[in-house]
Amino acid sequence: MAAKNNSYLDQVVAQQAELEEDLRPAFARSAPAPAAMPIPPGAPGPRGALAKRAGRVGSARENTPQGPVEVRVSGWWRWRTVLVPPNAFVVHTRRGAAEPLHIGLGVSFRFDPAKDSYLVVPGAIQTILINAYCICSELQGVLVQGYVQWIIDDFATAYRKLDFSDPEDPMRLVNVQLREQAEAAIKDKVSTMAVRDVLSDKQPIIEELTARLRTVAEGAGDGARGLGLSIVTVQIKEAVVSSNTLWENLQKPYRSEQNRVARLAELDAQEAVSVREAAAGRAAEQRRIENERELAELRARNDAASFDRESAERLRRTEREHEVNREVADLAQQQALHTLRLEREQHAEKLDNARRQAERVALRQEADLALAQAKTRVAHEAALLELDRQRVGVDIANSRNAATMQAELIEALPAIVDNLPTPTELRTVQIGGDTTGLASVVAQLSDIITAIRKTGQS
């Protein structure tokens, strides 16, 4: 069965690597190493790391980075001045001199490249990151992570006992040496402790590590000066079990206990919630019942009031309907009486009209009879008159002569001529012959009338 990866251990190692990369100086991560300046003519050859530092000088008033410390060198050829930052230690030696000419923090000096050399070291606090892979008393792997901060306390002692010869990072070798000593001290202390003690109480490791490093860096209590360094602080950040299975087993009791406590708390919470829910349900049910009762009472009052209103309204409507019916019946009775009266009046009027009509008919018949009698009598009289007239006419005709008839015809001629149409042609009818007799005159008049008719038709 394949072993499980310890993701927490990998994460801690990765974070430690990132932190170490972040704590590295910027020039150590990206800046290239500065090129060595040429040695002036007549100057002696290089003498180790100090000579290399002394040889890195520039022209007049130019800035030349000296490892992690930016040192400005001004002047020309053998008349130069080294300007040291105020937070950096410097030691200036000269050929033939047993002791340094200048030593201290932020000391600037004149510099002759032909016979002088100098060393500049940062004076700030240094931080060492520690990753100690240890074996505890139970033969289990444990990764202990911590850091140590130190600073130079006595540079006159430190530059003689420690190696600051790395031109890019003078503190690198010192940090490596202190890191190895710190890891050894941590491993020695962890080897006497159990896994739980390492994970739960890191103070014994801190005390042991602090004591050992101060003994080495600051010296023992008998007056030894040590390395001229001062331990500022020692801290243990993490202690991680390398075995994932062991780490899970160590966590199981606590996790089980916490699960038990959480489950019990959840059960208690559920019980409390159930009790509260039951109480709330009972209260809600009581409120619901009370609300329903109040609503039922309100509905009953409303129904009773509605029934009373409806009964009163029905009674009022019934009474009103009866009154209306009585009024309608009275009106109908009055109307019937009035109709009967009118019918009686109409019947009487009809009888009167019929009587009058009969009287008129009788009168008319009498008038017609009288008229017929009168007409008959008049007709008889007219017939008698006509007979008399005809007899008189015959008598007159018999008594008329030709001269009288001719005179009447002549009198009627203007009227006949006026009634004649306008002639379109002239026709002549000659009357002649015997005009003494009535027959000849009538024949000639007939000829004239025929001629006139033909003229009118044409």
Side-chain angles (χ1 to χ4, degrees):
M1 182 177 180
K4 297 181 180 179
N5 294 329
N6 194 336
S7 59
Y8 184 63
L9 175 62
D10 297 338
Q11 182 180 1
V12 171
V13 173
Q15 292 177 353
Q16 182 68 17
E18 293 178 0
L19 181 59
E20 186 174 1
E21 180 67 20
D22 293 338
L23 291 177
R24 290 180 61 190
F27 75 91
R29 296 195 303 268
S30 59
M37 297 295 294
I39 300 175
R47 295 175 297 174
L50 297 181
K52 291 181 182 179
R53 288 189 175 275
R56 293 196 198 99
V57 294
S59 59
R61 298 188 181 279
E62 68 176 352
N63 295 332
T64 304
Q66 301 291 329
V69 181
E70 183 178 356
V71 179
R72 190 173 63 180
V73 180
S74 62
W76 181 76
W77 196 31
R78 298 182 65 177
W79 295 275
R80 303 192 178 210
T81 300
V82 178
L83 301 177
V84 180
N87 61 342
F89 288 102
V90 63
V91 55
H92 174 212
T93 60
R94 178 168 294 174
R95 184 179 59 190
E99 295 294 331
L101 299 182
H102 301 89
I103 185 171
L105 183 64
V107 179
S108 301
F109 51 89
R110 293 188 178 275
F111 173 67
D112 185 0
K115 55 182 178 180
D116 293 353
S117 64
Y118 66 90
L119 175 65
V120 181
V121 177
I125 294 177
Q126 301 294 313
T127 301
I128 304 173
L129 301 179
I130 302 171
N131 291 322
Y133 294 91
C134 309
I135 302 297
C136 63
S137 62
E138 297 168 344
L139 301 181
Q140 299 296 327
V142 180
L143 170 62
V144 179
Q145 287 187 339
Y147 65 90
V148 176
Q149 291 181 336
W150 61 274
I151 193 172
I152 297 176
D153 184 50
D154 184 5
F155 186 64
T157 302
Y159 91 92
R160 288 185 175 92
K161 294 184 178 182
L162 299 176
D163 188 358
F164 299 105
S165 61
D166 191 340
E168 303 300 332
D169 187 6
M171 299 298 190
R172 186 180 63 82
L173 295 177
V174 179
N175 288 331
V176 171
Q177 292 171 358
L178 291 178
R179 182 186 295 113
E180 292 298 325
Q181 292 179 10
E183 289 182 2
I186 292 174
K187 290 180 180 181
D188 291 343
K189 184 62 179 177
V190 171
S191 64
T192 61
M193 300 173 63
V195 175
R196 294 183 179 274
D197 297 335
V198 174
L199 298 178
S200 60
D201 187 9
K202 301 178 181 62
Q203 190 61 33
I205 303 176
I206 295 175
E207 293 175 355
E208 180 68 19
L209 180 58
T210 303
R212 289 199 184 187
L213 291 180
R214 284 182 175 172
T215 301
V216 174
E218 302 175 4
D222 54 359
R225 299 182 64 183
L227 300 178
L229 306 179
S230 177
I231 303 300
V232 178
T233 182
V234 175
Q235 294 295 333
I236 301 298
K237 293 172 56 179
E238 292 285 349
V240 184
V241 178
S242 300
S243 174
N244 190 36
T245 303
L246 178 60
W247 176 246
E248 292 179 356
N249 293 334
L250 290 174
Q251 291 177 328
K252 280 182 180 180
Y254 178 76
R255 290 181 177 178
S256 300
E257 180 64 20
Q258 293 301 316
N259 289 334
R260 184 183 66 82
V261 173
R263 183 58 180 166
L264 291 176
E266 183 179 359
L267 292 176
D268 294 339
Q270 291 179 356
E271 183 178 1
V273 169
S274 300
V275 173
R276 292 290 299 276
E277 287 180 350
R282 287 194 299 272
E285 186 66 20
Q286 291 177 358
R287 288 194 299 271
R288 186 184 65 80
I289 294 174
E290 292 177 358
N291 292 333
E292 290 181 353
R293 180 176 56 78
E294 293 177 358
L295 291 175
E297 293 177 355
L298 181 61
R299 291 193 186 96
R301 289 196 296 270
N302 292 333
D303 293 340
S306 299
F307 179 77
D308 294 339
R309 287 195 301 271
E310 292 176 357
S311 299
E313 182 65 20
R314 284 197 298 270
L315 179 61
R316 186 186 67 81
R317 290 183 179 182
T318 303
E319 293 177 352
R320 183 59 180 168
E321 289 177 357
H322 290 169
E323 292 177 358
V324 171
N325 292 331
R326 285 195 299 271
E327 293 177 358
V328 170
D330 293 340
L331 292 175
Q333 185 178 4
Q334 294 176 4
Q335 182 68 23
L337 294 175
H338 180 68
T339 303
L340 181 60
R341 186 169 59 253
L342 290 178
E343 289 179 354
R344 288 178 179 176
E345 293 177 355
Q346 290 177 358
H347 183 66
E349 186 176 359
K350 287 180 179 180
L351 291 176
D352 191 11
N353 292 332
R355 186 175 61 255
R356 292 177 182 178
Q357 185 69 23
E359 293 175 355
R360 284 197 300 269
V361 171
L363 293 174
R364 188 181 295 112
Q365 289 177 356
E366 291 176 358
D368 291 340
L369 181 59
L371 180 61
Q373 291 176 357
K375 286 181 179 180
T376 303
R377 186 171 57 255
V378 170
H380 179 69
E381 292 176 357
L384 292 177
L385 290 175
E386 182 64 24
L387 290 175
D388 292 337
R389 186 180 62 79
Q390 289 178 1
R391 184 175 64 254
V392 171
V394 171
D395 291 339
I396 292 172
N398 292 328
S399 64
R400 290 173 64 185
N401 53 13
T404 303
M405 294 180 61
Q406 185 175 5
E408 290 178 359
L409 178 62
I410 291 170
E411 289 177 3
L413 283 177
I416 295 171
V417 173
D418 291 335
N419 291 325
L420 292 176
T422 304
T424 56
E425 60 181 351
L426 181 59
R427 292 183 183 181
T428 302
V429 179
Q430 185 176 0
I431 302 173
D434 186 8
T435 58
T436 59
L438 180 59
S440 61
V441 175
V442 173
Q444 291 180 7
L445 288 176
S446 297
D447 293 337
I448 294 170
I449 293 171
T450 303
I452 292 172
R453 288 178 178 175
K454 290 181 179 180
T455 303
Q457 291 179 356
S458 61

